[in-house]
Amino acid sequence: MADFHIRKYRDEDEEAVKETFTLGMSEHVPSSFMLVLKQPPTQMVLMCVFCALLTSSKSFLLPILAVTLLLAAVRQAVVYMFNKYIDTCLRIDLKNIGETYLKQKDSCFWVAESDGRVVGTVACLPAETVPGCLELKRMSVCRSHRRMGIAKALCRTVVDFSCERGCPAVILYTSVVQTDAQKLYENMGFEKLREFVVPELVAKIMNFTLFEYRLDLQREGQRN
């Protein structure tokens, strides 16, 4: 277990929190790019372009160059999708964390601190789609401090906060490429309710799927 403690967010944490969130999201670009390459339509397009150019040019150089450029374009589309999401979050709820999470009812933002440094974050807000429940948000742990129990402790903090307020459940959303997060939530008793493709053009082309999880706090209390 790492030497860390969890506390409420303070204004001086702002830069570290935004950096942790940005780096954490950016780490999913490579796995998302691989997800795109595994899609049958992507493979078919690449194969068709390669074969068509090979047939017409009688040379391997042109089709290889064309496929390379297509792959670069696909990766840039993935980077664009993540950068757009990051920018949106930084402009909305992370623009003024104190105002969004600390001054609103049934909301809070916590950081995990180790050796005086912010190494993890988590937050919760009233769920927009499920009245009476809280939504776990902004879970992120620095790469250097993973697999030390920090993410589990942060998640437990939100669960305890929700229990104290008598909420019937905690919900959250995570993506198809965040496999470690999925394992964490499932190990903590969250159940996958549904999955859906992000309703944006780039995400639809990528078949980029989000999962909705729910932890029934009444059932969790009976188990404990």
Side-chain angles (χ1 to χ4, degrees), residues 127-209:
E128 295 181 0
T129 57
V130 188
C133 298
L134 295 186
E135 179 182 349
L136 184 152
K137 299 171 68 70
R138 305 300 171 242
M139 168 75 84
S140 188
V141 176
C142 295
R143 182 187 289 272
S144 60
H145 286 72
R146 291 175 189 168
R147 304 191 185 282
M148 297 178 179
I150 296 176
K152 184 175 182 179
L154 288 167
C155 187
R156 175 53 59 184
T157 299
V158 173
V159 171
D160 291 344
F161 180 85
S162 304
C163 287
E164 291 169 2
R165 280 149 184 77
C167 298
V170 176
I171 66 166
L172 62 87
Y173 299 91
T174 190
S175 72
V176 63
V177 297
Q178 293 172 282
T179 53
D180 287 342
Q182 294 168 35
K183 292 176 183 176
L184 167 68
Y185 299 136
E186 289 169 5
N187 287 339
M188 294 196 67
F190 283 83
E191 296 181 355
K192 187 190 297 183
L193 296 183
R194 66 186 179 108
E195 54 185 80
F196 56 96
V197 176
V198 177
E200 291 187 7
L201 179 60
V202 175
K204 287 181 178 179
I205 294 173
M206 291 171 52
N207 194 31
F208 193 82
T209 306

Side-chain angles (χ1 to χ4, degrees), residues 34-74:
M34 292 304 300
L35 175 68
V36 179
L37 296 186
K38 292 177 181 178
Q39 301 302 314
T42 304
Q43 296 175 357
M44 184 172 65
V45 169
L46 292 174
M47 182 62 70
C48 288
V49 168
F50 183 86
C51 293
L53 291 177
L54 180 62
T55 302
S56 61
S57 67
K58 307 298 183 182
S59 168
F60 278 101
L61 181 60
L62 182 60
I64 290 175
L65 178 61
V67 169
T68 301
L69 291 175
L70 280 174
L71 290 174
V74 170

Side-chain angles (χ1 to χ4, degrees), residues 201-219:
L201 179 60
V202 175
K204 287 181 178 179
I205 294 173
M206 291 171 52
N207 194 31
F208 193 82
T209 306
L210 291 184
F211 300 142
E212 179 181 352
Y213 281 88
R214 175 187 173 108
L215 177 67
D216 188 315
L217 296 180
Q218 184 176 7
R219 189 186 309 165

Side-chain angles (χ1 to χ4, degrees), residues 38-111:
K38 292 177 181 178
Q39 301 302 314
T42 304
Q43 296 175 357
M44 184 172 65
V45 169
L46 292 174
M47 182 62 70
C48 288
V49 168
F50 183 86
C51 293
L53 291 177
L54 180 62
T55 302
S56 61
S57 67
K58 307 298 183 182
S59 168
F60 278 101
L61 181 60
L62 182 60
I64 290 175
L65 178 61
V67 169
T68 301
L69 291 175
L70 280 174
L71 290 174
V74 170
R75 194 179 192 286
Q76 280 302 112
V78 174
V79 171
Y80 168 80
M81 184 184 74
F82 274 91
N83 284 345
K84 183 179 179 182
Y85 175 73
I86 291 169
D87 290 342
T88 299
C89 295
L90 294 177
R91 284 188 292 101
I92 302 179
D93 64 299
L94 295 179
K95 181 178 181 180
N96 191 330
I97 298 171
E99 190 69 33
T100 304
Y101 291 99
L102 301 183
K103 295 184 180 180
Q104 306 297 326
K105 183 181 178 182
D106 296 334
S107 305
C108 199
F109 199 107
W110 299 268
V111 300

